[in-house]
Amino acid sequence: MKKQLIQLEINNRVYEVPVNPRDLLVDVIRKKVGLTGTKKGCGQGDCGACTVLIDGAPVLSCITLAIACQGKKITTIEGLADDRGNLHPIQQAFVDHGAVQCGFCTPGMILTAKALLDRNPQPGEAEIKRGIAGNICRCTGYKKIVEAISAAAATISKGVVK
Amino acid sequence: MYLNHFEYYAPRTAGEAFELVGRLGDQAKVLAGGTDLMLILKEKLIKPQYLIDINGVKEFQGIAYAAGKGAVIGAATKISEVEHSAIIRDKYFALYQAAGELGSVQVRAMATIGGNSCHASPAAETPTPLVTLRARVVIKSAAGERQLPLEDFILGNRKTVLGVGEILTGFILPEPAPRSASRYAYIGLRNAMEIDAVNMAVNLVLEDDGRTIKDLRLVMGSVAPRPLISAEVPAILVGQEFGSELVGKAAAAAAGEARPISDIRASAEYRREMVAVLARRLLQEAFDAAREV
Ligand SMILES: Cc1cc2nc3c(=O)[nH]c(=O)nc-3n(C[C@H](O)[C@H](O)[C@H](O)COP(=O)(O)OP(=O)(O)OC[C@H]3O[C@@H](n4cnc5c(N)ncnc54)[C@H](O)[C@@H]3O)c2cc1C
């Protein structure tokens, strides 16, 4: 089957990539664009490791066709730090609170947290847990992740960093 | 792991979509959120030659409400939009509750309300409240349009009445009756990302006295191949004053009507027991809520 050249806007940069219609977004991001922060876990939408933001919404890139993402704004974990390399407050909070262990779930977890805080800037503990219910972590027991997201919410709402 | 090859179409208008499904026929599959279809394609259970992505068709999306008339929900409306809609929360509470329980935040951002009914899993979240709220489906093709109650649309596990060349375009929800309320609940093994062992929705309408039941619908999910509308619960309760003895009788009757199977998630016996528990709980909650509107 012939490949088609498509344009994908990832982290405010446009990439031209040749794809087959069957190519999954996660594979295109990792192998063709070369951004390997997005992880491939279960491949069935259950674990959340492959989460990216599409037009601000958290989407499972392992069950999304790349060809369906033309004209949309895709954000991966590489797109969160600012131009000078300062970590996003959620990333910084994950570091500060020990919410990263093996790190495999972290990109998806942080992007899901970003989508949550964009919609609900000051979530309670129950809302955070509900928000990350689709992201599985095998190391931390979630406690530090919940604390980190809560701390990030406080930092962002103080307006110290955008 | 690769999917089988297919050609991809992304129509921009309803007309283009109908033309494509008509022309490509049974070699084609409609792609909505993909949260069921992509998994089936990965398992290679089906091998369509064409996918027709309907997410770019505005006519199939969104929630419109007109006071006194009711709501129309486009089939390609995301579950997250239903979950966050003030109208759905105010008028169709059971649907609001069910939408919030479907999958995870990611799944809700991707999945559509139409896909949930078209996939027709017996354990699906939204068909139960939609049938309870007397939703009608709108089915269109290049040749025309037909409407029918959702309970007649879903035939069984992964079976619907959709014919080749047809697309489900939306749901029509009637305006809720005065002094009415709807509620939804499920039983699962854990709090998130589970497949329901039993789910249920109730819509209850009271007479002006605030005690007598004027109309009632109770629908069970996951205990039959398709949403099961109770015949006995309304027969016991309609025309009667709400009271715990009758509610107990109605709950037992619902458990008797359920036709559950035993599987990895629960035994038939447990499911039947849970039908009675949910029925009691939801009848009470819907009654309390209906008294307040
Ligand atoms: C991790 C995970 C968790 C889940 N949890 C739940 C859950 O808790 N509860 C639940 O009910 N479901 C759950 N699901 C299943 C799924 O998300 C829902 O059934 C969803 O609503 C399907 O909608 P979709 O838009 O993704 O459909 P798709 O996958 O795009 O389509 C499903 C089927 O319907 C057809 N179709 C879709 N739209 C139309 C249309 N408008 N006209 C004609 N045919 C159409 C497609 O051709 C396909 O055959 C889960 C799925 C995943 C991956």
Side-chain angles (χ1 to χ4, degrees):
Chain A
M1 186 143 307
K2 241 184 75 207
K3 294 205 174 195
Q4 284 164 254
L5 210 54
I6 64 162
Q7 293 195 336
L8 290 180
E9 186 182 335
I10 305 175
N11 305 331
N12 297 319
R13 198 181 135 186
V14 177
Y15 296 86
E16 279 216 334
V17 278
V19 298
N20 268 317
R22 66 174 180 178
D23 289 345
L24 299 169
L25 181 61
V26 66
D27 294 327
V28 171
I29 290 175
R30 288 178 57 84
K31 294 184 191 153
K32 297 199 171 143
V33 177
L35 296 171
T36 54
T38 305
K39 301 303 179 209
K40 201 172 175 180
C42 69
Q44 307 189 348
D46 284 306
C47 79
C50 69
T51 304
V52 299
L53 301 181
I54 296 188
D55 295 333
V59 164
L60 300 160
S61 63
C62 77
I63 52 172
T64 298
L65 298 176
I67 200 168
C69 297
Q70 299 172 85
K72 298 180 176 166
K73 280 181 169 298
I74 302 167
T75 307
T76 68
I77 193 67
E78 290 89 347
L80 281 199
D82 71 15
D83 295 341
R84 283 171 294 153
N86 298 312
L87 293 183
H88 184 279
I90 304 175
Q91 292 175 303
Q92 191 60 53
F94 269 60
V95 174
D96 295 344
H97 289 260
V100 181
Q101 285 187 30
C102 88
F104 196 84
C105 75
T106 309
M109 196 67 88
I110 288 178
L111 290 166
T112 304
K114 177 161 193 315
L116 169 70
L117 298 187
D118 286 347
R119 187 188 278 281
N120 179 359
Q122 277 164 314
E125 189 183 322
E127 289 170 310
I128 294 175
K129 286 184 177 170
R130 189 168 183 278
I132 60 168
N135 293 77
I136 294 176
C137 170
R138 294 285 77 170
C139 310
T140 65
Y142 302 100
K143 188 168 188 301
K144 295 180 174 196
I145 293 175
V146 173
E147 284 167 11
I149 295 171
S150 185
T155 311
I156 295 169
S157 67
K158 264 189 270 156
V160 183
V161 228
K162 276 271 148 52
Chain B
M1 196 213 26
Y2 285 108
L3 302 175
N4 288 322
H5 280 295
F6 49 78
E7 274 178 53
Y8 171 85
Y9 292 93
R12 290 276 138 200
T13 65
E16 279 171 42
F18 298 136
E19 191 275 323
L20 282 167
V21 288
R23 179 157 57 82
L24 303 174
D26 61 6
Q27 302 299 313
K29 270 278 165 191
V30 168
L31 171 69
T35 58
D36 282 316
L37 185 60
M38 292 300 292
L39 302 196
I40 295 173
L41 294 179
K42 284 190 171 195
E43 287 167 29
K44 307 208 157 70
L45 293 177
I46 53 168
K47 295 172 185 171
Q49 289 181 29
Y50 311 97
L51 288 198
I52 303 167
D53 181 344
I54 59 168
N55 288 289
V57 181
K58 290 250 156 45
E59 291 103 305
F60 299 161
Q61 286 165 19
I63 300 170
Y65 172 78
K69 283 187 150 171
V72 178
I73 307 177
T77 305
K78 299 293 184 185
I79 296 290
S80 56
E81 186 176 342
V82 177
E83 177 195 6
H84 291 107
S85 157
I87 274 296
I88 300 299
R89 196 191 53 223
D90 291 351
K91 301 274 174 187
Y92 308 101
F93 198 78
L95 177 60
Y96 157 78
Q97 290 178 298
E101 297 295 350
L102 192 154
S104 59
V105 57
Q106 291 93 327
V107 173
R108 294 192 291 275
M110 300 173 74
T112 65
I113 188 164
N116 205 207
S117 281
C118 288
H119 185 64
S121 157
E125 225 79 44
T126 61
T128 307
L130 284 168
V131 169
T132 307
L133 294 161
R134 294 194 157 82
R136 294 176 68 78
V137 294
V138 183
I139 301 169
K140 290 187 188 169
S141 67
E145 170 183 331
R146 56 183 179 136
Q147 291 186 10
L148 59 163
L150 178 57
E151 57 267 35
D152 298 338
F153 175 80
I154 298 174
L155 297 177
N157 187 11
R158 297 193 183 180
K159 285 197 201 74
T160 69
V161 302
L162 271 183
V164 170
E166 287 185 320
I167 296 178
L168 173 70
T169 63
F171 299 87
I172 301 175
L173 295 178
E175 174 76 25
R179 291 185 183 280
S180 73
S182 66
R183 287 295 182 273
Y184 169 88
Y186 73 95
I187 299 279
L189 292 184
R190 58 194 206 106
N191 245 331
M193 296 286 281
E194 75 303 317
I195 297 179
D196 298 349
V198 182
N199 68 40
M200 186 183 289
V202 165
N203 188 53
L204 185 146
V205 188
L206 289 175
E207 297 282 6
D208 289 344
D209 65 6
R211 288 193 307 274
T212 308
I213 297 168
K214 185 176 180 183
D215 190 20
L216 175 65
R217 202 170 229 215
L218 182 148
V219 179
M220 304 166 235
S222 220
V223 292
R226 58 194 187 128
L228 181 65
I229 305 172
S230 169
E232 292 181 26
V233 173
I236 293 169
L237 287 171
V238 172
Q240 307 293 322
E241 280 195 15
F242 192 91
S244 58
E245 201 172 310
L246 272 186
V247 167
K249 209 176 139 197
E257 286 177 284
R259 289 178 278 122
I261 56 164
S262 292
D263 66 10
I264 187 170
R265 283 181 287 279
S267 67
E269 190 189 2
Y270 176 74
R271 285 192 160 98
R272 210 181 276 285
E273 196 63 34
M274 289 307 106
V275 165
V277 170
L278 288 183
R280 262 198 305 276
R281 189 184 298 167
L282 289 175
L283 286 167
Q284 186 69 50
E285 284 178 13
F287 174 71
D288 293 342
R291 281 163 68 89
E292 303 211 334
V293 287

